[in-house]
Amino acid sequence: MDKTEILRWLRETKESRLEDLWLRADAVRKEKVGDAVHLRGLIEISSYCVRQCGYCGLRAGNASLERYRMSEEEIMQCVADAVEFGYGTVVMQAGEDYGIKTEWLANIVRRIKAQTPLAVTLSMGERPVEDLVAWREAGANRYLLRFETSNPVLYEKIHPSLPKQTYNRFDLLKKLRELGYEVGSGVMIGIPGQSYEDLAHDIELFRTLDLDMIGVGPYIAHPATPLGQETIDLTNGNQVPNTELMVYKVLAITRLVCPEANIPSTTALATINKTEGRELGLCRGANIVMPNLTPSQYRRLYEIYPAKACIDETSRQCRGCLWGRIESIGRQVGSGQGGRRRS
Ligand code: 5AD
Ligand code: FES
């Protein structure tokens, strides 16, 4: 699929044709990654952040947010939950928090790898290469770092760089690959100022970068952020809308462009359609769900965007419900780590 075709699908409005796109994406998903839905337990280990991303509620400038950093024992308790619930992976995510010391996290990774069969994914922001090396040596398997948008002007606007920073996200993604991580990236859909051309180029980059994991979700305005104050100008025909439909289009096209990638049906998608967003995502290209294992007292503080949807996997009722939802669409919960397959 070339850029012209990607653009045509992004602008497609006819329902019967879109129905076709969903079916194609679902067929490719089934053929390339199968019917298993792999569960990755998300542990939001710290809400501190030194960055000033214009869209993100955790930005350092948001003084109204109470911050937390989990203790090693709290994290290990969540890890034990992941094992008990039968997940294959834990994802530890945080703001870019240098209070998370390199060796402290390396030690936790070593403990998880020594004591459990889990794959370990990290999502710690743009840390120095030495940290990425240390965590990889400790046994971390995967790293998530979305590039958010491939338009450099828009990126710099929404994601101001730190004073002495000499690398960019694409350099880091390359570095992560060299270090032997499975690499995940992705973008937000409908950022104010994001054009169809930008988004089509993002999707082409997913292919060029040969990503193992691709996370895409709608941009959701957070009132305590600069970008959250801007209105999205939908009268401008170039602006990508941050709608549910646009997310499905991007999910489906992404599956066609990167047939073997692991693609989550994201929390942001579930947030804008709490009744069936997650399931529809799974039927239009996605094959991963990331239930939240963060202890409840911290969960409400990890407010990247407002009203974040959540499967509370620590509650027995919710867990049954997730299993039921996956089976209701003719799929099964996957076993094992569910890493990248290559044919
Ligand atoms: N709306 C939607 N997604 C967001 N993220 C951060 N802020 C927002 C927002 N306001 C996404 C970014 C980041 C991921 C962890 O969460 O893409 O990489
Ligand atoms: Fe740092 Fe979002 S600005 S996590």
Side-chain angles (χ1 to χ4, degrees):
M1 200 187 283
D2 62 11
K3 189 156 174 197
T4 319
E5 205 182 335
I6 295 176
L7 270 171
R8 196 173 51 74
W9 278 122
L10 289 175
R11 291 194 180 268
E12 183 62 62
T13 53
K14 208 164 160 225
E15 251 176 62
S16 59
R17 292 188 56 91
L18 286 171
E19 202 51 52
D20 230 45
L21 177 65
W22 313 148
L23 290 176
R24 273 175 64 192
D26 199 45
V28 170
R29 186 272 309 153
K30 190 180 174 72
E31 184 197 332
K32 298 293 180 177
V33 294
D35 282 337
V37 175
H38 293 281
L39 304 182
R40 325 286 206 206
L42 178 65
I43 314 174
E44 296 153 332
I45 68 174
S46 165
S47 66
Y48 286 91
C49 186
V50 298
R51 305 305 293 258
Q52 293 288 9
C53 301
Y55 47 87
C56 177
L58 300 191
R59 66 200 306 275
N62 183 4
S64 63
L65 192 67
E66 185 193 329
R67 309 281 172 158
Y68 71 90
R69 189 178 298 121
M70 288 173 65
S71 71
E72 176 170 345
E73 284 323 306
E74 286 172 325
I75 295 171
M76 292 311 289
Q77 185 51 55
C78 296
V79 169
D81 289 341
V83 173
E84 185 195 331
F85 302 160
Y87 300 171
T89 301
V90 279
V91 181
M92 289 188 274
Q93 188 180 73
E96 199 166 306
D97 173 17
Y98 293 93
I100 295 179
K101 297 294 174 199
T102 315
E103 195 38 47
W104 178 81
L105 185 57
N107 181 50
I108 291 174
V109 172
R110 273 190 296 270
R111 279 187 71 185
I112 300 172
K113 297 306 292 184
Q115 296 170 16
T116 77
L118 298 172
V120 172
T121 304
L122 298 177
S123 178
M124 296 287 137
E126 299 172 13
R127 299 281 299 221
V129 172
E130 303 83 77
D131 296 1
L132 307 176
V133 171
W135 297 333
R136 176 77 189 124
E137 283 174 355
N141 305 91
R142 311 181 185 139
Y143 203 96
L144 303 177
L145 184 70
R146 291 190 183 178
F147 62 80
E148 314 294 2
T149 171
S150 58
N151 174 333
V153 177
L154 180 60
Y155 182 77
E156 187 58 31
K157 176 186 166 208
I158 65 172
H159 193 276
S161 44
L162 288 177
K164 274 184 288 175
Q165 207 165 27
T166 53
Y167 47 75
N168 67 32
R169 286 202 170 191
F170 294 104
D171 297 337
L172 272 183
L173 290 170
K174 188 160 162 264
K175 194 74 208 168
L176 287 162
R177 165 90 62 210
E178 284 165 17
L179 291 173
Y181 284 98
E182 274 188 39
V183 179
S185 195
V187 298
M188 289 181 289
I189 298 162
I191 306 166
Q194 183 184 44
S195 71
Y196 281 88
E197 283 278 334
D198 292 337
L199 187 54
H201 187 237
D202 295 344
I203 297 173
E204 282 199 300
L205 270 178
F206 295 164
R207 173 168 49 201
T208 320
L209 294 168
D210 187 28
L211 296 173
D212 303 302
M213 304 165 283
I214 304 166
V216 296
Y219 162 72
I220 299 173
H222 190 308
T225 64
L227 212 63
Q229 311 298 321
E230 284 184 33
T231 42
I232 302 182
D233 178 14
L234 291 174
T235 59
N236 169 352
N238 284 324
Q239 168 68 50
V240 174
N242 62 341
T243 54
E244 190 184 350
L245 182 63
M246 189 54 68
V247 177
Y248 297 135
K249 289 184 195 175
V250 177
L251 271 177
I253 301 166
T254 300
R255 173 57 69 197
L256 296 178
V257 168
C258 305
E260 299 169 338
N262 281 319
I263 304 178
S265 189
T266 54
T267 307
L269 172 59
T271 299
I272 59 172
N273 178 351
K274 291 199 164 79
T275 6
E276 53 173 9
R278 223 180 286 266
E279 289 82 347
L280 284 172
L282 288 172
C283 294
R284 295 170 178 181
N287 69 320
I288 302 284
V289 172
M290 297 172 67
N292 198 317
L293 293 176
T294 311
S296 56
Q297 72 271 29
Y298 299 135
R299 206 173 287 192
R300 63 185 176 83
L301 299 176
Y302 200 81
E303 201 194 44
I304 298 180
Y305 47 80
K308 221 168 72 188
C310 177
I311 308 173
D312 187 352
E313 280 290 280
T314 46
S315 100
R316 216 158 261 285
Q317 190 190 353
C318 238
R319 194 148 21 108
C321 154
L322 174 62
W323 252 251
R325 280 171 175 234
I326 289 171
E327 278 164 11
S328 77
I329 54 169
R331 311 273 277 278
Q332 316 89 41
V333 172
S335 59
Q337 295 186 346
R340 163 81 182 266
R341 289 201 208 170
R342 285 178 189 273
S343 57

